[in-house]
Amino acid sequence: MVHIVKTPSYDERDVYNAVCRHFEAMEVAGDLAPSMTVLLKPNLLYGKKPEAGITTNPAILKAVIRWLREHGIEKIVVADSSGGLFTAEYMRTVYGASGLRVPGIEEYLNLDFTYERVPTREGFTVKSFNLISAVTKADYIINLPKLKTHAMTTVSIGVKNLFGTIPGLQKPDMHRRYPKTEDFVHMLCELCETVRPNVTLLDAVDSMEGNGPGGGTVRRTGLTMCARNVYALDVTAVRFMGLDPEEMPHLRAARAMGLWPEKIDVTGDGLAPCSPAFRLPDAVKSTGFEDSVPRLLRKPAEFVLDNLLRSYPKVDRSKCVGCGKCAESCPQKIIKVVDKKAGMPKKGCISCFCCQEMCPVHAIRVKRGLRGL
Ligand code: SF4
Ligand code: SF4
């Protein structure tokens, strides 16, 4: 079941009422005991003010914490590993810039920057994941993603949000190990099955379209969505975006792994797909060429294009401030910052767009070019 609540704004009362309705529909209270440690996993891609639509809004965290406190839970931890380092110093700046250092949230922010190796299920491609200790120590996990588009995985919703359970710069390592999107999203599903969030509550009051997850445009979509099954939530959220779940790489992987639920009941305030549909990131936009060939030839045309052309990052030197965040997050270590300007060659690039994701001034664009040239 996926439960929808129209949530027109981040007004404290609106959001708290939405959380109460969601958790009642999901019967969350029945899962909890006062001795439990409950982890809240927001999206804290990097430190950015809430209005930028990049991070889970503090109003959602505040409302969930209030609800948990009112249900007798005292051990609450808000934890994520942003892009960048997983250290006290770095995460404190992320917490501050994302508006989380306020009463009602600050006292619950994670200050444990260790991680543990966790074995996966028999038959998985990834034999173990390093997960931040806040995850391994939690008795109950509430996943709090933000609805966004994503340059590599097309969308970032419930499943992708869990990538932040991998500590710091081990995330680029995962990109290096799984450079192809289909392998990367398969890994994400295995990660999701290892972390196994108990409930997912999606912040889609303000969402992001275009060049997400960090450089897109905020779109007011005015709802929150909740489910126990994170794949059901992602399928429903993609439909809400006006997109086709079958076209989403991670949902195709979930289907192949038998994780896509057969039947999804949508309850609560109901749902109409956004019109117009969410704008896609430049990196995943169609060239339009495929649509100009007859339907029968479309698949082979797509195959040829995919093998000839690829999307690459390109720096707008007039915007680049030389901060080096792109170089730090590049799994291939090919980005060099010289004279306060970043340069990124095509050679060696795996088109993961971690650089674009982490650029604080949106100086990185996407260009289609011949592979490796
Ligand atoms: S240059 Fe950017 S897109 Fe290419 S591998 Fe590095 S981070 Fe990924
Ligand atoms: S992250 Fe952006 S601003 Fe910083 S060096 Fe890279 S391109 Fe320039």
Side-chain angles (χ1 to χ4, degrees):
M1 187 225 301
V2 179
H3 188 253
I4 315 289
V5 176
K6 285 191 178 127
T7 315
S9 76
Y10 288 112
D11 171 80
E12 207 168 311
R13 222 171 3 175
D14 283 348
V15 177
Y16 179 69
N17 287 340
V19 168
C20 291
R21 284 183 59 197
H22 284 309
F23 286 0
E24 193 184 335
M26 293 296 134
E27 300 178 356
V28 173
D31 295 344
L32 300 173
S35 60
M36 282 181 166
T37 299
V38 177
L39 169 75
L40 309 187
K41 164 63 183 80
N43 183 325
L44 297 179
L45 176 65
Y46 53 79
K48 203 75 180 170
K49 56 184 184 186
E51 305 77 68
I54 294 170
T55 51
T56 304
N57 194 283
I60 304 276
L61 283 159
K62 217 174 199 177
V64 173
I65 291 169
R66 178 177 159 195
W67 187 94
L68 287 168
R69 294 296 314 260
E70 287 171 0
H71 286 78
I73 303 297
E74 297 203 340
K75 288 184 265 172
I76 303 166
V77 183
V78 175
D80 189 20
S81 168
S82 303
L85 300 171
F86 188 55
T87 60
E89 195 187 0
Y90 183 70
M91 288 307 301
R92 278 200 179 102
T93 63
V94 172
Y95 295 152
S98 312
L100 303 188
R101 295 183 78 165
V102 292
I105 303 178
E106 182 162 29
E107 46 280 46
Y108 303 101
L109 294 173
N110 178 43
L111 295 173
D112 176 355
F113 300 100
T114 60
Y115 62 87
E116 286 176 44
R117 183 168 285 270
V118 177
T120 59
R121 216 184 285 163
E122 183 85 23
F124 276 12
T125 315
V126 185
K127 297 298 165 217
S128 63
F129 285 104
N130 285 340
L131 301 180
I132 60 173
S133 302
V135 170
T136 59
K137 288 178 183 163
D139 300 304
Y140 197 84
I141 297 177
I142 303 180
N143 186 22
L144 297 171
K146 182 94 181 158
L147 184 63
K148 298 192 284 183
T149 46
H150 193 283
M152 186 191 187
T153 55
T154 310
V155 291
S156 172
I157 319 177
V159 174
K160 177 68 174 64
N161 192 43
L162 298 172
F163 195 44
T165 61
I166 293 181
L169 297 178
Q170 294 186 32
K171 287 191 279 296
D173 273 346
M174 298 306 273
H175 279 286
R176 193 168 32 242
R177 278 171 66 186
Y178 304 101
K180 288 189 179 162
T181 304
E182 60 265 34
D183 297 332
F184 185 79
V185 292
H186 184 92
M187 176 279 292
L188 283 182
C189 290
E190 292 189 351
L191 174 65
C192 185
E193 288 304 291
T194 307
V195 175
R196 296 186 75 80
N198 299 80
V199 183
T200 297
L201 194 162
L202 175 68
D203 172 5
V205 179
D206 280 347
S207 306
M208 179 171 279
E209 62 178 349
N211 285 325
T217 314
V218 177
R219 177 165 173 172
R220 169 78 26 129
T221 40
L223 61 83
T224 49
M225 195 180 281
C226 191
R228 285 184 179 269
N229 185 312
V230 60
Y231 307 98
L233 183 135
D234 279 18
V235 169
T236 308
V238 169
R239 288 188 179 131
F240 171 67
M241 296 165 99
L243 305 173
D244 180 359
E246 302 279 352
E247 298 285 320
M248 299 302 124
H250 79 288
L251 291 173
R252 282 205 296 260
R255 190 185 280 293
M257 291 167 75
L259 299 169
W260 185 324
E262 288 277 308
K263 189 171 176 300
I264 302 173
D265 291 324
V266 178
T267 63
D269 293 343
L271 198 66
C274 288
S275 179
F278 270 48
R279 279 187 300 111
L280 292 174
D282 294 337
V284 293
K285 259 185 205 157
S286 155
T287 58
F289 172 77
E290 299 91 322
D291 300 335
S292 67
V293 296
R295 185 174 283 275
L296 258 178
L297 297 176
R298 218 167 269 171
K299 280 275 169 229
E302 278 173 16
F303 179 79
V304 172
L305 274 181
D306 281 353
N307 281 281
L308 279 178
L309 292 176
R310 196 172 199 180
S311 298
Y312 291 98
K314 189 164 171 40
V315 182
D316 178 342
R317 289 175 64 85
S318 65
K319 285 191 182 169
C320 176
V321 294
C323 68
K325 289 274 175 216
C326 53
E328 183 186 88
S329 61
C330 175
Q332 297 295 86
K333 300 290 166 221
I334 55 175
I335 301 177
K336 300 270 178 289
V337 181
V338 178
D339 294 334
K340 298 208 168 147
K341 299 291 168 196
M344 37 198 70
K346 274 201 230 167
K347 192 159 184 244
C349 177
I350 55 173
S351 304
C352 64
F353 299 104
C354 294
C355 50
Q356 189 194 38
E357 191 171 322
M358 294 307 293
C359 178
V361 295
H362 313 317
I364 301 176
R365 308 215 158 276
V366 172
K367 290 265 175 218
R368 293 277 265 184
L370 286 173
R371 257 175 190 267
L373 294 176

